[in-house]
Amino acid sequence: MSALNKAKGFKKSKSGTYLSMAGTAFGAFGVAKQIKKARAEQDTLRLIDATVSAVAIVTGLAILYRELKRLGDDDVLLG
């Protein structure tokens, strides 16, 4: 398997999934900041926006976790 094919398969590997989860979780810091600011300013619309973003992050993490469980032993980088 060439290096280019391994690189293309990285996103579908356990390592790639873990990296995606970390990136998604990192986005939670920005959302938490946004929620804190919206509460301080009592800005309901921004609070709703931040809450929707937080739900999207949780959903994204759940999807990535499910994908990680599906990968199991079928990791493309190991084969």
Side-chain angles (χ1 to χ4, degrees), residues 44-67:
T44 306
L45 192 55
R46 285 184 194 255
L47 186 59
I48 291 170
D49 180 48
T51 303
V52 169
S53 296
V55 170
I57 287 173
V58 170
T59 304
L61 285 172
I63 290 169
L64 288 168
Y65 178 73
R66 182 182 67 189
E67 185 64 27

Side-chain angles (χ1 to χ4, degrees), residues 6 9-23 64 68 71-72 75-78:
K6 280 189 176 186
F10 181 72
K11 192 171 184 180
K12 294 182 180 182
S13 69
K14 280 188 177 184
S15 302
T17 304
Y18 282 126
L19 190 61
S20 293
M21 288 176 83
L64 288 168
L68 189 62
L71 280 174
D75 195 344
V76 295
L77 293 181
L78 296 176

Side-chain angles (χ1 to χ4, degrees), residues 21-55:
M21 288 176 83
T24 303
F26 187 72
F29 291 112
V31 171
K33 226 170 139 179
Q34 189 179 3
I35 288 173
K36 188 176 180 179
K37 185 177 179 181
R39 282 186 177 167
E41 295 175 358
Q42 296 180 349
D43 189 339
T44 306
L45 192 55
R46 285 184 194 255
L47 186 59
I48 291 170
D49 180 48
T51 303
V52 169
S53 296
V55 170

